[in-house]
Amino acid sequence: MMTRWVLTALMVLSSLVASGELTKKELKQLEDLEVAGVRENTEKDDDRNKIEVLEINTFQSEDDQGDGFRIQIAVELVDKQKNLYIAQFKGNRPGGINSEYTGEDYWLLYMPHGELERLKVSAYAIHYGFMDGEEFRVFAEEFDGVKTMDELLERTSTPYPGKVRLKHYYMYDDSSRGETESISQSVRNIK
């Protein structure tokens, strides 16, 4: 009788410990995460100051409307004098996704030039995934100019001097207008 109680208690405790872990079904669904494209662009703000923009397009299931999605971005920038800088951003996808979500997201990383001249993106590393309890699990990644995130972080150590910000846009079907629309939100940088 005591053995049965101990075994039952162990099963209950193990299920409580495992509750932070993703189920096999959730893992299978998250395997569909995709970094579908990355574009680099130079824009100007209202005061005609230049800003480097890295636009990241991600896809996942239309059913993935919950919390827990995270993106980690590292960008190497080079200026006119060939100085290298590293800009980093890590943030969670904002909540409150519309029920008509299409599964398509855009992330725009803004890096103002400031006093730096002829600033250009020379490499980047992107990890996109999901928080499994306290662990960030990468399900999609994209690289340019490097093979891994660690390689980029090891080769460029000078922090980018400007303030970097990230905006998240998600697409949804507006049935009242018969169009696909987007909603944007700022993303908080997690250090």
Side-chain angles (χ1 to χ4, degrees):
M1 185 69 150
M2 183 65 144
T3 305
R4 180 179 283 161
W5 183 86
V6 170
L7 289 174
T8 303
L10 285 173
M11 285 178 29
V12 169
L13 285 174
S14 67
S15 69
L16 288 173
V17 170
S19 66
E21 296 177 8
L22 296 168
T23 66
K24 286 183 181 180
K25 181 180 177 184
E26 290 169 329
L27 284 170
K28 182 71 174 155
Q29 187 171 344
L30 290 170
E31 288 175 1
D32 292 339
L33 292 183
E34 175 185 356
V35 176
V38 179
R39 293 188 318 183
E40 304 164 28
N41 193 17
T42 303
E43 297 180 358
K44 291 186 179 180
D45 65 13
D46 294 339
D47 296 324
R48 307 211 25 88
N49 298 312
K50 289 185 178 180
I51 303 169
E52 284 305 296
V53 181
L54 191 71
E55 179 182 320
I56 304 153
N57 181 225
T58 59
F59 285 105
Q60 55 269 323
S61 169
E62 298 169 0
D63 298 328
D64 290 337
Q65 298 173 18
D67 297 334
F69 290 92
R70 178 171 285 180
I71 195 163
Q72 181 178 356
I73 308 165
V75 180
E76 180 184 75
L77 299 141
V78 61
D79 67 9
K80 180 180 176 181
Q81 287 77 32
K82 305 293 184 210
N83 297 312
L84 294 177
Y85 304 95
I86 188 79
Q88 296 182 68
F89 203 102
K90 181 176 14 175
N92 297 325
R93 183 176 81 178
I97 302 293
N98 186 297
S99 63
E100 299 300 318
Y101 174 61
T102 65
E104 184 175 0
D105 295 71
Y106 291 90
W107 307 78
L108 276 71
L109 185 68
Y110 295 94
M111 300 162 284
H113 287 211
E115 301 298 316
L116 302 173
E117 294 183 48
R118 291 193 205 146
L119 195 62
K120 290 198 158 296
V121 172
S122 53
Y124 59 76
I126 301 162
H127 286 167
Y128 187 53
F130 198 84
M131 292 303 296
D132 186 4
E134 295 294 316
E135 180 186 355
F136 175 49
R137 297 189 61 175
V138 177
F139 287 93
E141 51 190 14
E142 185 72 30
F143 305 102
D144 185 48
V146 290
K147 293 183 180 168
T148 67
M149 177 80 70
D150 289 338
E151 177 188 343
L152 181 57
L153 296 175
E154 287 172 10
R155 88 175 188 198
T156 310
S157 61
T158 304
Y160 175 68
K163 183 173 172 71
V164 177
R165 64 186 178 91
L166 183 67
K167 295 279 286 191
H168 171 260
Y169 296 79
Y170 74 87
M171 307 303 287
Y172 71 96
D173 291 325
D174 185 346
S175 56
S176 66
R177 297 176 59 186
E179 297 177 2
T180 300
E181 299 285 332
S182 69
I183 292 180
S184 72
Q185 295 175 300
S186 293
V187 178
R188 185 176 58 88
N189 196 359
I190 301 168
K191 298 292 179 179

